[in-house]
Amino acid sequence: MMALRGKTRAAMRCFFLTQQQLRLPLPLTPSSAADISSISAPSSHRFFSFTCSSLFRHSPLFAPSNQAFSRPISFRELHSSPPSIRSFAARGLQTMPNSDSVTYLTQREAAEVDEILMGPLGFSVDQLMELAGLSVATAIAEVYKPSEYNRVLAICGPGNNGGDGLVAARHLFHFGYKPFICYPKRTPKPLYSGLVTQLESLSVPFLSVEDLPADLSKEFDIVVDAMFGFSFHGNYSIYCSLLISSVRQRTPAVVSVDIPSGWHVEEGDVNGGGMKPDMLVSLTAPKLGAKNFSGAHHFLGGRFVPPAIVDKYKLHLPPYPGTSMCVRIGKPAHIDISALRENYISPEFLEEQVAADPFVQFRRWFDEAVEAGLKEPNAMGLSTVGKDGKPSSRMVLLKGFDQDGFVWYTNYESQKAHQLSENPRASLLFYWDGLNRQVRVEGSVQKVSEEESEQYFHSRPRGSQIGAIVSKQSSVIPGRQVLYEEHKELQEKFSDGSVIPKPINWGGYRLRPELFEFWQGQQSRLHDRLQYTPEEVKGTRVWKIVRLAP
């Protein structure tokens, strides 16, 4: 390991140029590359060439190369946006030729958008950086769960891209990851000093170049490439050795921020020497060079583009789901379904800790699911079987529960209603992914009283009441327009605010539990399963608790 580091430091006095690359007419060798920051930007027609050690060929973060040791690499100069402008911009009017087309942005348009964002629209650099870093962190959490990919190394450059990486690392810490920071050339500005202080207050380790292992995969699960944004200027040599490692087993997942380091903003990885990330998180809108991204996961982040910019630049961007700060672009790569698994990490679920009454235990878990902010914690799978013995399942919403049972509402002429009339027994399944929990409930089913159904029906929004009348659930209809037309007619009919009558064929069911099973996911598939069943003890109905093998 030490030998590799020494060899790297000795040989790799090179510059890994990325988005806003300088182009000079003469080749720049390691000996003459001591201080690129002193070189002024030339015209856009000139070229910069540099040589790099053949060790590039052995880095898992770069594409293989069969070129000779002194292979020159050229990039087109990209200096149309002032270095003071934050390159979060979304631009470029070129789109993918399909129904899910997304706008890919050119550099000039990006600079214009940045000027608008931080000019008349009043955004500041720190605001945009915070939103960008949060977007990167949420995108990582979408794909790489902390139970499997916990150790994150963020390699941060001295510019705004590095700032995004610092912000992302802070959010990843709060998401349950264990971040590490490599920030060799710190920017002496209050904004960046504050970001460092925030991470230090969380006891996030800062590593020097010398501290990094030769085999990154042994100590890190994810590497965040936050080195060079396309507005970066300065000395690149200090980062070269960060990008050289010998991975003997597997490469950490690589996540690039906005544009992979070493890529031309518009042309992509021109010479094949840039980063080869598994995930790219484009900010505001994908840059034109991102069309060449071939990794498994491409996300869009930076949810702050106002309608005025969308209209001005005719941006076509995918809608963000719910309150998410990121959205996937395109389809994920082919996934080996057999390899999909989650190694659950949960508190132990022990017999001496649970409530003697399963209704009390269910209330406890349900309340915790609500407090955790899980989406629709009252969603439950309802399974029924008719006289033909064929089971069917669907998702419904729990609308109440107490010691008498679990209640939901539906159309009494639906498929599940027909099956329940033939076989009044059912199974419910609650699944709370964020807590690694599920609850299964089995029992007999009966209709709730007409008074109870009437009361609940009129507590619903008027649109839902009309929807219950319109939908002849499970029946065949000629098209969706039929539903819209009838719904509109009834809206007009009851627009005076008069009472909407509950359909006779609509109401509730109550399942009276005869079995509960509480499941808590654990590591190595050694899950906790506690089952409650009723029994008579001295004339009193009590619940017997047993543990089932996972």
Side-chain angles (χ1 to χ4, degrees), residues 152-154 169 173 178-183 186 199-200 202-208 211 220:
V152 181
L153 172 64
F173 174 88
K178 187 176 181 180
F180 298 80
I181 309 296
C182 187
Y183 190 23
R186 301 190 181 188
L199 289 164
E200 290 176 338
L202 299 174
S203 299
V204 172
F206 278 73
L207 307 177
S208 67
D211 291 332
F220 306 107

Side-chain angles (χ1 to χ4, degrees), residues 111 125 130 278 285 343 398 452 459:
V125 173
E130 184 66 30
D278 303 282
N343 190 24
L398 177 70
E452 191 172 347
S459 72

Side-chain angles (χ1 to χ4, degrees), residues 127-190:
Q127 283 180 306
L128 297 175
M129 190 174 290
E130 184 66 30
L131 291 169
L134 177 58
S135 299
V136 172
T138 54
I140 290 173
E142 282 283 323
V143 175
Y144 303 109
K145 303 304 180 185
S147 58
E148 293 283 345
Y149 298 83
N150 187 251
R151 306 163 302 171
V152 181
L153 172 64
I155 305 178
C156 300
N160 291 320
N161 202 261
D164 296 343
L166 295 174
V167 173
R170 168 163 44 81
H171 286 293
L172 288 171
F173 174 88
H174 292 297
F175 290 173
Y177 295 83
K178 187 176 181 180
F180 298 80
I181 309 296
C182 187
Y183 190 23
K185 188 175 176 60
R186 301 190 181 188
T187 302
K189 294 181 179 179

